[in-house]
Amino acid sequence: MISLTDSQKIGMGLTGFGVFFLFFGMILFFDKALLAIGNILFVAGLSFVIGLERTFRFFFQKHKMKATSFFLGGVLVVLIGWPIIGVVLEIYGFFLLFRGFFPVIVGFIRRIPVLGSILNLPFISAYVDKAGESNTMV
């Protein structure tokens, strides 16, 4: 079992609530208020989990500036009041930011009994292999 500090536990809760509010806001036809709350909680939770300094170092690396600008720009656009455009920008920025983690995620999911067998089906495996290969470092 991984031991977490109190601030990391708070961060996990904030991140979880942020993801919930983002999902719920998209389900309810891109509700501006829910998406804004979800964005704020997600970013705050991430900074609680990994710390403020590491959060800034992660987002503001030189090779990730394009991804960071799309992600944080999408958050700003949602806060301004254009939720659909903001969510599209956020999703694009999210995939650019975290594409280095996808091989790890795919490898982890392939070890889960039911999900691993689904990912190894012939017509799904080709797409998962393409998503799981990455040339960039995290």
Side-chain angles (χ1 to χ4, degrees):
M1 181 105 176
I2 300 172
S3 64
L4 298 173
T5 64
D6 287 340
S7 65
Q8 288 175 327
K9 290 176 187 176
I10 292 169
M12 292 296 289
L14 289 174
T15 304
F17 277 119
V19 169
F20 170 74
F21 278 108
L22 285 171
F23 179 72
F24 200 57
M26 284 191 266
I27 293 295
L28 292 176
F29 302 113
F30 293 94
D31 183 54
K32 291 182 247 185
L34 290 175
L35 290 172
I37 291 169
N39 284 327
I40 292 168
L41 289 175
F42 180 77
V43 173
L46 185 65
S47 63
F48 266 93
V49 170
I50 64 175
L52 282 175
E53 182 182 345
R54 290 179 70 192
T55 302
F56 282 115
R57 274 193 282 156
F58 175 76
F59 278 108
F60 296 109
Q61 294 174 10
K62 195 169 200 164
H63 64 280
K64 290 185 179 182
M65 287 307 289
K66 176 182 172 185
T68 300
S69 62
F70 272 103
F71 183 75
L72 295 178
V75 170
L76 182 68
V77 169
V78 167
L79 291 174
I80 288 173
W82 295 335
I84 295 174
I85 296 169
V87 168
V88 169
L89 291 173
E90 282 181 45
I91 290 172
Y92 181 66
F94 181 83
F95 282 119
L96 288 178
L97 274 172
F98 296 103
R99 69 178 167 201
F101 294 112
F102 290 146
V104 175
I105 294 169
V106 168
F108 176 75
I109 292 175
R110 282 197 168 154
R111 292 187 193 127
I112 298 174
V114 175
L115 295 177
S117 59
I118 292 172
L119 290 183
N120 288 328
L121 291 173
F123 54 91
I124 296 177
S125 179
Y127 295 112
V128 172
D129 290 340
K130 186 161 179 91
E133 64 187 33
S134 176
N135 298 354
T136 60
M137 298 283 291
V138 174

